[in-house]
Amino acid sequence: MNTVIREISTTDAGIAGHLAYEAFKSSADAHRFPLDFPSPEAGQEFAGLWINHPSIYGVAAEVAGRFVGSNFLTEQDPIRGVGPITVAPAIQASGIGRKLMEAVIERGKGAPGIRLVQDAFNTISMSLYASLGFEAREPLALMSGRPAGTVPEGITVRRMTDSDLAEAEALCVRVHRFPRTGELKDAVRGLQPFVAIRGGRMVGYASSVPMWQLNHGVAETEGDLCALLTGAGQQLNDPVSFLLPVRQAGLHRWALRSGFRMVKPMTLMTMGEYCEPRGAWFPSVLY
Ligand SMILES: CC(C)(COP(=O)(O)OP(=O)(O)OC[C@H]1O[C@@H](n2cnc3c(N)ncnc32)[C@H](O)[C@@H]1OP(=O)(O)O)[C@@H](O)C(=O)NCCC(=O)NCCS
């Protein structure tokens, strides 16, 4: 099969979003998990945002002139994030996903690292990414709920603003050794990021509390992270959702005690530099 890989363009948003809906639906339905994109329109809205973002690189796959798949690489920050990758269900398992992955790996080869999060039940994607050189780092549990309990005295939880970005960057670097300030700038503009303040300084942040796909967080301690999510949950109408790295056993037990329910298992996979985080944290769907 003659597959052409090319840069994605704005005019592809309709078909790319529709295929993202169909491809993820085929995988979720097969395993009876909820849909990541609940409708074709949700897929198209996402595709429009991602394709038009100045710091997100996208590729399209074509067979005989027909659009059959896409993949993306976020480039706002030093660590690159892959996804979502989609191949039309009728044409999966014929090598197109591998080509789409190779294209973004080539694009990201100058970066210190490339990372992604995959559905742990997806035997195809885990095998594909591992064979390309990605290493499984963390088992994750997607958790969703409205945390019960109260924020401990001495901690304040409030919305993040532009003036928090420098302190948030420093905290992220302390935990992960890499900044994610490009993403945080997007979050402050259109998402619902929160910070936790203790002793007059920032001890935690979460970048998009109700939307797990875009929600990454860091904190000095597990207690700070629990307080942050509890306080944010009290100020929002929507449930809190985040990808809990289950090796943080205390955080896991707290989430279950607080009323969170597990939605599905996922895996953080990385290529290139990786340091064990120093503090409490959770990744977005990118890393
Ligand atoms: C995941 C996805 C992008 C992969 O694309 P694809 O075109 O089907 O994949 P490819 O055919 O290029 O590659 C799959 C590879 O996995 C291997 N593979 C598949 N099932 C496997 C299994 N159970 N065990 C081991 N290897 C397996 C195949 O042999 C192939 O490897 P090869 O290139 O060495 O032959 C595609 O299936 C898809 O769109 N799925 C729905 C959306 C989705 O789940 N996206 C990813 C979210 S994590």
Side-chain angles (χ1 to χ4, degrees), residues 23-24 27 85-87 92-98 118-119 122-125 127-129:
F24 277 92
S27 166
I85 177 171
T86 49
V87 173
Q92 285 173 9
S94 52
I96 295 168
R98 179 172 292 277
Q118 64 90 228
D119 285 327
N122 190 327
T123 50
I124 303 172
S125 71
S127 308
L128 174 62
Y129 304 152

Side-chain angles (χ1 to χ4, degrees), residues 9 81 160:
S9 90
M160 182 189 284

Side-chain angles (χ1 to χ4, degrees), residues 45-275:
E45 189 186 344
F46 142 77
L49 285 172
W50 236 228
I51 292 172
N52 289 309
H53 194 294
S55 300
I56 297 178
Y57 175 72
V59 283
E62 282 182 352
V63 171
R66 201 163 56 90
F67 188 106
V68 292
S70 61
N71 196 9
F72 295 90
L73 188 74
T74 62
E75 302 182 320
Q76 297 106 309
D77 293 302
I79 300 291
R80 308 301 199 226
V82 178
I85 177 171
T86 49
V87 173
I91 207 169
Q92 285 173 9
S94 52
I96 295 168
R98 179 172 292 277
K99 289 195 168 76
L100 286 167
M101 284 301 297
E102 285 168 349
V104 299
I105 292 169
E106 173 64 21
R107 169 82 177 189
K109 68 180 179 208
I114 306 178
R115 301 183 188 174
L116 57 82
V117 166
Q118 64 90 228
D119 285 327
F121 55 84
N122 190 327
T123 50
I124 303 172
S125 71
M126 183 180 276
S127 308
L128 174 62
Y129 304 152
S131 70
L132 285 162
F134 285 90
E135 298 183 12
R137 291 288 176 191
E138 290 284 344
L140 307 168
L142 171 56
M143 306 298 285
S144 177
R146 294 175 184 278
T150 51
V151 177
E153 215 166 301
I155 300 185
T156 305
V157 177
R158 61 161 174 78
R159 301 264 177 173
M160 182 189 284
T161 67
D162 278 321
S163 58
D164 293 314
L165 289 174
E167 216 180 340
E169 176 171 297
L171 179 60
C172 186
V173 170
R174 280 207 301 282
V175 174
H176 287 302
R177 303 205 192 152
F178 287 105
R180 293 181 79 162
T181 316
E183 264 187 75
L184 286 180
K185 285 181 183 162
D186 285 351
V188 169
R189 261 180 244 123
L191 303 174
Q192 302 198 65
F194 281 83
V195 297
I197 309 292
R198 174 165 54 77
R201 64 179 209 287
M202 187 188 299
V203 292
Y205 77 74
S207 63
S208 178
V209 176
M211 196 189 295
W212 63 272
Q213 290 93 336
L214 299 179
N215 190 17
H216 79 269
V218 290
E220 285 192 358
T221 66
E222 277 185 6
D224 293 328
L225 195 51
C226 299
L228 170 68
L229 295 174
T230 303
Q234 286 166 352
Q235 294 171 53
L236 287 170
N237 293 324
D238 299 309
V240 172
S241 63
F242 71 110
L243 286 167
L244 196 162
V246 293
R247 292 193 306 149
Q248 292 174 83
L251 185 63
H252 198 181
R253 282 192 290 271
W254 166 81
L256 295 168
R257 260 197 327 271
S258 304
F260 281 94
R261 304 295 294 172
M262 180 172 171
V263 180
K264 63 175 176 175
M266 300 188 84
T267 319
L268 172 68
M269 301 183 80
T270 72
M271 176 185 276
E273 287 180 41
Y274 186 80
C275 313

